[in-house]
Amino acid sequence: MSTNRLIDSKDHSSVQINIGEVDENGRFTGGFHTYAICGMVRSLGESDDSINRLATTDGYLNNVWSYQK
């Protein structure tokens, strides 16, 4: 679930996760990708699916997320 909402300062249940980029040896390269999940998405229980979808779109995961109606 993607909301494109701004996360305000009163949303104390929101989280920000940084996924580090690694080289072929598994060493951190210094780069990372940030995912911010608002409290509303977390309260719906959709945060794991949202992170899987975003990470799959960005190329971090393969064959993890698939769209289901």
Side-chain angles (χ1 to χ4, degrees), residues 19 35 48-65:
I19 306 294
Y35 300 110
D48 59 338
D49 187 51
S50 298
I51 291 173
N52 284 342
R53 181 181 52 81
L54 293 169
T56 300
T57 302
D58 291 337
Y60 290 112
L61 296 174
N62 292 323
N63 302 323
V64 173
W65 181 83

Side-chain angles (χ1 to χ4, degrees), residues 3-60:
T3 62
N4 290 327
R5 291 181 168 191
L6 291 176
I7 298 175
D8 64 358
S9 61
K10 298 293 182 182
D11 188 355
H12 298 294
S13 60
S14 64
V15 294
Q16 178 174 314
I17 299 172
N18 293 329
I19 306 294
E21 296 178 2
V22 296
D23 62 11
E24 61 276 352
N25 296 319
R27 293 186 180 165
F28 180 59
T29 62
F32 57 87
H33 200 91
T34 303
Y35 300 110
I37 308 295
C38 69
M40 187 268 304
V41 173
R42 293 186 67 214
S43 69
L44 293 173
E46 295 291 328
S47 57
D48 59 338
D49 187 51
S50 298
I51 291 173
N52 284 342
R53 181 181 52 81
L54 293 169
T56 300
T57 302
D58 291 337
Y60 290 112

